[in-house]
Amino acid sequence: MKLTRRAALRTLALSTGAMAFAHAQPAPPATETDAVFKLPPLGYDLDALAPYIDAETMKLHHDKHHAAYVSKLNQAVAKLPNKAGKTVEELLGALASLPVELRDDVRNNGGGHANHSLFWQILKKNDGAKPGGSLAAALQSTFGGYDEFWKRFSASAVSLFGSGWTWLAWRDRKLVVETTADQDTPLITGGVPLIGLDLWEHAYYLGYQNRRVDYVAAFEKVINWELVGGRFAKLAS
Ligand code: MN3
């Protein structure tokens, strides 16, 4: 019997007591040897964003919701005829090239994976810090300043009907505020998301119930502008 390297490593991990950490891993997809996408770690404690986003919301959101997108994306990608080496961003940027019967699965679950991976990265309590450097200058020239940008961003987020995301994105070498439905992302249409706010109820209902406006206000306190500004500087250079 041929044992794959992955299966061998997994057997080794299980036999050496690594199971204690199994709760942090996504459920194994149906076709494990084709599992090319992995649930990224949060990179900080579940309560790191409290009181703005509570630990229970973070745990469910990351360990259950995001993990499910990863698992379903792996199931879809396993059926692609030519799946080697594509990043999720590349898949989302070329949906029209995929077999039509797999397109929605990759769009929804690939979008879910890409969107949440970005979301975890841009979250950090910021103590009221605002963008600096070239991002501050671009917000000034595009929107008339940070406050005007934030008014537009939060109004878009509050008024989005149903489930989706509001974005600050880089498109055609301009900053834009956009919203998308479901798990769609600016990547699908050639934009690059800089910040994204998850407006599905699973992102805020435990902490804020129906008060989306309060959740949007809380999000402003947990945007890691240092990280976002660094990414912007590279994109815009
Ligand atoms: Mn979500």
Side-chain angles (χ1 to χ4, degrees):
M1 188 180 97
K2 184 166 168 263
L3 197 62
T4 66
R5 178 175 159 77
R6 186 188 299 272
L9 288 172
R10 183 158 173 270
T11 305
L12 181 69
L14 292 174
S15 65
T16 52
M19 259 194 102
F21 299 99
H23 69 278
Q25 303 302 320
T31 49
E32 178 157 357
T33 50
D34 288 331
V36 290
F37 296 104
K38 304 245 183 331
L39 180 67
L42 266 186
Y44 42 82
D45 292 340
L46 291 169
D47 63 357
L49 306 168
Y52 304 110
I53 305 179
D54 64 276
E56 193 181 0
T57 295
M58 291 301 289
K59 184 168 176 55
L60 284 168
H61 201 176
H62 177 269
D63 295 2
K64 302 295 182 192
H65 290 277
H66 188 174
Y69 292 121
V70 173
S71 177
K72 288 177 190 163
L73 175 62
N74 280 321
Q75 289 170 35
V77 167
K79 296 178 200 156
L80 289 178
N82 180 12
K83 56 192 177 258
K86 289 264 197 328
T87 66
V88 69
E89 290 82 5
E90 287 167 344
L91 288 169
L92 290 164
L95 287 173
S97 71
L98 302 180
V100 68
E101 68 275 14
L102 295 174
R103 225 172 271 170
D104 283 351
D105 284 347
V106 172
R107 179 178 188 157
N108 294 332
N109 297 298
H113 178 40
N115 294 346
H116 289 87
S117 297
L118 175 72
F119 191 56
W120 313 133
Q121 288 173 27
I122 62 163
L123 296 176
K124 187 185 180 185
K125 276 200 258 189
N126 62 27
D127 298 318
K130 300 287 191 288
S134 59
L135 180 55
L139 290 170
Q140 181 69 42
S141 64
T142 307
F143 301 104
Y146 174 84
D147 290 345
E148 292 307 311
F149 150 71
W150 182 255
K151 262 186 222 163
R152 188 181 304 198
F153 184 94
S154 57
S156 293
V158 169
S159 65
L160 174 74
F161 183 76
S163 297
W165 293 71
T166 290
W167 307 95
L168 173 66
W170 182 241
R171 180 184 293 287
D172 302 326
R173 301 204 56 81
K174 284 189 195 121
L175 285 176
V176 287
V177 169
E178 302 180 342
T179 60
T180 55
D182 304 324
Q183 292 296 350
D184 279 359
T185 146
L187 292 165
I188 293 174
T189 49
V192 181
L194 285 163
I195 68 172
L197 175 54
D198 189 339
L199 295 164
W200 287 54
E201 285 187 344
H202 69 230
Y204 64 89
Y205 208 84
L206 288 178
Y208 295 93
Q209 293 83 49
N210 61 323
R211 301 187 309 277
R212 187 192 277 183
V213 65
D214 293 344
Y215 164 67
V216 173
F219 175 65
E220 192 185 11
K221 315 287 190 190
V222 292
I223 302 170
N224 184 345
W225 285 117
E226 207 179 329
L227 178 140
V228 174
R231 288 219 175 122
F232 173 75
K234 275 189 201 152
L235 274 176
S237 64

